Amino acid sequence: MSTVASAQAQAAQAGRNGTGERAQSGDEPKRGGPAAPAATADAADAATAAATVAPAPLAPRARLWPALAAVYRAQLSRARVARIPLLFVATFQSLGIMVLMRGVVDGGAESRAVVAGSAVLVVAFVALNLLAQYFGRLRAGGGLDHYATLPVPAAAVVLGAAGAYASFTVPGVLVTAVAGGVLYQLPLSGLWVLVAVVPLAGAALAGLGAALGLLAPKPEIATLCGQLGMSAALLLGVLPGGHLPQPVGLLRDLLPSTYGVEALARGFQTRPDWGHAALDLGVCAAVGVVSLALATWAYRRAAVR
């Protein structure tokens, strides 16, 4: 009897143990059930965080001088291809003026004024007239949008274009000055002053031309302003200032090209007055700084519209 009773007690204990294990195994799914939604929420948060990552920073803007050199080379190569015929026209125009004036003036200050004015006229034709037309077309055709997307300063675009158009005139100015000196029998020893006259007068006239082209509401008006500026440089630069009426003389003093003409005319003297020539070049440089600053402001104003 005791043996049977102990066997029954062991069987009951085993049954209770099995029931407890089943209850524990049944509780495990209940405890593990909420783990799946939590993992899904964590994955969604990770995807949202990846989608809201800040974009990569843009490349820094190019520095002024490297950007200026790049724009200058590009504009100079373009001018060499597209503007060579117009450079010949400007040079032949100045040579023709000197030939026509040879029968009117007989030497002295008048001949120096004619030769110097004709040489600087080449700069005015290209740097003032053609640059005004170029920026006028660029603004009207939406070409400024291309430059606005480039990481280059506005001053680099204006200074690069102005420098390219001004330096493009060097061969025409040199040919005109040498031919005029031979034609009018003037001393050529002071022609080294062209090293300063061409860049300073070119900067002043190119800045003025760029400002006219960028501020003009239509390309036709920009062309008209460029033509008027070149005509003023022709009429007021070739004639000696002392023979002009006072109102016209005051207008002549307002032209940036006048001071380049005066400095070059002093270089044709037998004994040049380099002090006055340096003063004329200083005024030309100051006007160049102002005109290029105006052109840079006009470029920024036109590029954001």
Side-chain angles (χ1 to χ4, degrees), residues 163-192:
Y165 273 71
S167 59
F168 182 64
T169 64
V170 171
V173 174
L174 186 59
V175 169
T176 303
V178 172
V182 173
L183 182 63
Y184 286 86
Q185 300 179 355
L186 299 174
L188 302 179
S189 59
L191 280 184
W192 61 266

Side-chain angles (χ1 to χ4, degrees), residues 233-244:
L234 167 62
L235 297 175
L236 302 178
V238 174
L239 300 177
H243 296 173
L244 297 175

Side-chain angles (χ1 to χ4, degrees), residues 86-87 89-91 93-94 97 116-134 162 165-170 172-173 176 197-210 212 222-238 255-261 264 284:
L86 295 176
L87 178 62
V89 170
T91 305
Q93 173 183 264
S94 296
I97 290 172
S118 299
V120 176
L121 179 62
V122 179
V123 183
F125 185 91
V126 176
L128 174 59
N129 182 26
L130 297 185
L131 196 59
Q133 297 180 29
Y134 169 71
Y165 273 71
S167 59
F168 182 64
T169 64
V170 171
V173 174
T176 303
V197 170
V198 173
L200 294 179
L205 293 171
L208 182 59
L212 291 175
T223 301
L224 177 61
C225 292
Q227 292 285 349
L228 290 176
M230 186 198 66
S231 299
L234 167 62
L235 297 175
L236 302 178
V238 174
L255 283 176
S257 59
T258 299
Y259 303 97
V261 171
L264 182 56
C284 197

